[in-house]
Amino acid sequence: LMDLFITAVLVLLAVLLPPSAASLEPFDRLYEDAVRAFYGGDFGGVVRLMEGALGSYAEVRRTKVRCRLRCQDRHPFPRTFSDLRFFDVVLRRAACMDGCIGDKLGTQSVHRVSQDVVQDFNRRIPYNYLQLAYQKLKQPDKAASAAHTYFQANPEHVEMGQNLEQYKDLQGVEEKHFVDREARAHQHSFTAAVRLYDSGDYEGAIALFEDALAEYYKADVECRALCQGPQRFEGHDHLRYRYSLHELVSDHFTQVLHCEHECVRDLATRPGRLSPMENYLPLHYDYLQFAYFQVDRLEEALQCALTYLLFHEGEEFMTDNVDYYREVLGRSGEPREKAAWYLRRHRQELELLLIGSKTMGVEFTEGNYWSSTGGRDDSNRIPSGTDGWMEYVPISEKRNVSVAAPQKLNEGGPLVYESVQLVQNSAALNGSQRVLLDHVLSEEECAELRHLAHVVTMAGDGYRGRMSPHTPNEKFEGATVLKTLQYGYEGRVPMRSARLFYDISERARRIVESYFLLNSTLHFSYTHLVCRTAITGQQDHRNDLSHPIHADNCLLDPEANECWKEPPAYTYRDYSALLYLNGDFEGGEFIFTEMDAKTITASVKPRCGRMVGFSSGGENPHGVKAVTGGQRCAVALWFTLDPLFRELERLQADEVIQALDTQSVWGQSLHINPKDEL
């Protein structure tokens, strides 16, 4: 059956797919060229290439949505069902979509970009580069627009906020230039509607709320269309081969369906945020029912109130409103069919997801999509402003979120080495599970390791090849222990220096394990020798961070005051340490903050031999202030208590060291395969 199915696919695709003549430049290639132009000082090239990348990114998404919806309409499923008719429609839709997309974009394979690039576009990183480029080109109006667009998704970016204030005072920059180029139409209309509602303009608010609903349902269709591609279901490999055709189809369909089901969360989440706006879709109907009441359109008010109760059945105050409207009108009324259909589909999807996830052998938990009555005025349950929609749904019920159980934490154990000096403990650093130590390295060791770094580190190593992963104003270079040992074996650096890197990382591990009184072995999770260098000519009036505030094993959500221990965070990391090699640079202080990512609780000025160690969770948000001059070098270490997550390269390095110690390595080849991660 499987062979027959595959043969049918290949034959039908060969017949139905026309050759593609169109070609759209891939946005990841344009993005990479734009970044390269930025560091080459070609700011005109930055604007041309980055605007091209943004246009290509938008066109790819538009084309996929348009083609998938068009082919879906062109090849509907028949009313009478059979296996052959079902797969006939599936194959024809696939051929239709491939041909449609290929006609517009060219060969689809060239538009399959890495998840890192997609994340950069989702975080609006291109607009940061554009803002700086337009600034250099003396085009403040376009710089203001790019800065405003970036800031909407990155409100914690101090430098961008200050840039926006400066743009307001520049000649030629007007209010109309501060526009969000990536604004989501449904959220934009909703926000504007709330403002009119608060000002008492109920007629204007009604029009915009209705627009927001229309845009929401349109965006929902587009969001779901974009789900019809390869998916990643946490804990399950979607490419895993299943012998049964129906299991194979079930697995992929379940993953696509999960993506579609999560569009509820996506459409309610503002750019750059982790948590959705509380009670987002139902609040449209809540605002509308009272706005219609205010303009004496009670039939519409009743309809919207009944629609709200579809989401929150039996909610007391809305039920009272419904009773009032029915009494005045003398009829019962009906909720809006669009919302009723939307909820019926949502519940059917949930039923199918539970079946499909069980077949896949993974756990699925329904999210809390509509927090009960959030953002309402208790006096009459009528929305009173933006308080509700600005709040966030707790995502503690989100799938696969695990909140670590409180554990007893200790510190103050022996420092293992006589030379090591305790500078500050947790109390002095205004937190928990924190320590600052000096003299972990000698001046000679620091000098040798810095010399080693200048030879072995490569731009972008440890950051998936990205030379400036956190800020365009600095260059990052790194190297792993295994790569350094490889250089030593090849004679490119003294083996003594490579061995020193290995040894001092073990020294740091032993100190952290001992000081925090851990009763089980602390394993290496990742070890990285990293230098960050201020880029000359880009440091004027700079107030951004070298490394944004974050936690090491969870996703920091400052506005919700939470840290969610879930992928893509490195949830297995338990302790972290930074061992500094120098202090002869400007800026670059290491900082701890509160969970709001703004309130600094402690600041550490790096210097040779100084080490800061801490637990890796949400209790220790941290970052690095901008390096505005010189080069800052350190050994960054992450540890785990779970041996399953031991660093593979470290185990290989252990074997190399053991072989060196027994002299059995001479005359043999080292099988070293450095891994670029972090």
Side-chain angles (χ1 to χ4, degrees), residues 59-71:
E59 183 58 34
V60 167
R61 291 173 62 90
R62 279 195 302 269
T63 300
K64 286 181 177 179
V65 169
R66 183 168 56 247
C67 289
R68 286 167 180 171
L69 295 179
R70 179 187 302 168
C71 294

Side-chain angles (χ1 to χ4, degrees), residues 435-459:
V435 66
L436 181 62
L437 306 168
D438 273 346
H439 306 305
V440 177
L441 298 175
S442 68
E443 292 288 346
E444 293 75 16
E445 288 173 327
C446 286
E448 187 169 354
L449 289 170
R450 284 197 66 188
H451 179 73
L452 177 71
H454 293 154
V455 178
V456 301
T457 57
M458 293 180 59

